Amino acid sequence: EISLEIERLDFYPMTLDTVEDRLALIQKLKKKYGSSIEEILAYGDRIKDELAELENNELRVELMEEELSIITSKLVGESDNLTEERKKTALILEKDITKELVDLEMPGIIFNVVFTKQKNITGIGNERIEFFITTNPGEPARPMSRVASGGETSRIMLAVKTILAELEGIPTLIFDEIETGIGGQTIWSLGQKLYQLSSKMQIISVTHSSPLASLAKNHLLIAKRNIKGRTSAEVETLDFEGRLRELTRMLGGSESEESQAALEHAKALLKKTNN
């Protein structure tokens, strides 16, 4: 019976080869694209979608270029608006800072805010901004960073900080030897400006100038001492007598034996400032 059954069966070697090849292909696909037929087919669907997107690439590029054009147009418009607002503010800044500098014994000063347009719009706008000054009438304005002396830079810095501090509501300004490079009446004018500014905010000034120190509401003496081979900084709040001694020393009087001229000058400074 078995022999008869075998004789009735149809056997096609080529079909067997096809099936074996198919099974081998499936095993190969499982190694690369999924552990089951379902995962392989799902991956195939995703690839088809990606291929369709790539085939429509030209259309996508056109759409993206249109979107980019709209965004660029908006960016340029916003950048131009920012530039206009900056120029309006620059006119106010030029006027206010010039006034401050005239008060600081710089009567011939010309202060300008210069805009240089950039090739590309950046995160801070479409221009580079520099401060230009001239301190001598008839001379062209040039970048402040190149032409200002040390004393001029100190006064310009004070003027700029004064204006910006009022705009931004800064509670405290700290100046470190702002008197560098200036002397005489100019230091007194600078001190008066600091004193006026102190009515609006706290001013901390590290100084070696006796006129500036005499204007302070609170005078702190910072001294370095060598204690057991190590340097230690000490801060002392001075009373009237302490201020008198320190101002005398700053004016050239000896710490151990104060010169009478320096002492009288120190007394005159404190009397002049009502401190």
Side-chain angles (χ1 to χ4, degrees):
E1 290 179 0
I2 292 173
S3 296
L4 292 173
E5 186 66 31
I6 290 174
E7 290 178 359
R8 287 197 292 265
L9 291 175
D10 295 326
F11 175 68
Y12 300 99
M14 293 182 62
T15 302
L16 178 61
D17 291 341
T18 301
V19 172
E20 289 179 344
D21 290 343
R22 179 75 172 174
L23 291 174
L25 176 60
I26 291 173
Q27 291 301 320
K28 185 177 180 180
L29 293 173
K30 283 183 177 181
K31 291 180 180 179
K32 295 183 67 176
Y33 304 116
S35 59
S36 67
I37 299 296
E38 290 76 13
E39 290 184 8
I40 294 172
L41 293 175
Y43 182 83
D45 291 337
R46 292 198 302 272
I47 292 298
K48 287 178 182 178
D49 292 339
E50 291 182 14
L51 180 59
E53 288 185 10
L54 291 174
E55 289 174 345
N56 295 323
N57 191 49
E58 291 185 4
L59 177 60
R60 293 180 64 244
V61 169
E62 289 179 5
L63 293 175
M64 292 178 69
E65 287 179 345
E66 290 179 6
E67 184 179 2
L68 178 61
S69 178
I70 294 172
I71 294 174
T72 301
S73 178
K74 183 178 179 181
L75 176 63
V76 170
E78 293 294 334
S79 177
D80 289 343
N81 290 338
L82 177 60
T83 299
E84 289 303 314
E85 291 300 318
R86 281 176 169 168
K87 288 182 177 180
K88 291 177 184 177
T89 303
L91 293 175
I92 299 173
L93 192 64
E94 289 174 348
K95 179 181 177 182
D96 291 346
I97 290 180
T98 299
K99 181 179 181 301
E100 295 289 332
L101 293 174
V102 169
D103 293 343
L104 291 170
E105 306 296 327
M106 297 179 72
I109 188 75
I110 296 176
F111 180 89
N112 297 127
V113 181
V114 177
F115 292 75
T116 303
K117 192 169 184 177
Q118 304 287 71
K119 291 183 179 179
N120 299 311
I121 300 175
T122 68
I124 58 173
N126 194 26
E127 60 272 325
R128 181 167 55 89
I129 299 174
E130 286 185 284
F131 291 162
F132 276 52
I133 65 164
T134 177
T135 56
N136 300 311
E139 293 294 322
R142 295 177 181 175
M144 187 181 78
S145 59
R146 298 181 185 177
V147 299
S149 65
E152 290 168 345
T153 300
S154 297
R155 283 175 281 176
I156 293 169
M157 180 186 69
L158 174 58
V160 171
K161 281 197 171 186
T162 299
I163 300 301
L164 296 184
E166 291 179 349
L167 291 174
E168 298 175 4
I170 297 174
T172 301
L173 286 179
I174 301 175
F175 297 95
D176 186 9
E177 298 185 21
I178 192 174
E179 74 277 6
T180 300
I182 58 178
Q185 179 60 34
T186 302
I187 281 190
W188 185 252
S189 297
L190 185 145
Q192 290 294 321
K193 182 61 64 176
L194 289 174
Y195 186 81
Q196 293 169 13
L197 194 57
S198 69
S199 65
K200 302 174 183 177
M201 64 195 70
Q202 182 185 43
I203 302 296
I204 298 175
S205 179
V206 181
T207 182
H208 295 285
S209 166
S210 53
L212 292 188
S214 69
L215 286 161
K217 296 286 184 67
N218 297 289
H219 190 162
L220 306 178
L221 172 62
I222 302 175
K224 291 184 179 180
R225 307 187 192 283
N226 191 313
I227 301 177
K228 295 181 179 180
R230 297 196 63 180
T231 301
S232 175
E234 298 179 355
V235 181
E236 177 187 357
T237 301
L238 300 180
D239 56 15
F240 179 81
E241 293 300 324
R243 295 190 70 181
L244 195 58
R245 287 195 302 272
E246 180 60 16
L247 287 174
T248 300
R249 186 194 66 80
M250 294 171 74
L251 288 165
S254 169
E255 292 185 0
S256 57
E257 186 177 340
E258 299 152 353
S259 67
Q260 188 62 33
L263 177 61
E264 293 301 323
H265 191 178
K267 288 180 179 179
L269 283 174
L270 291 177
K271 183 178 180 181
K272 184 176 182 179
T273 59
N274 296 317
N275 286 327

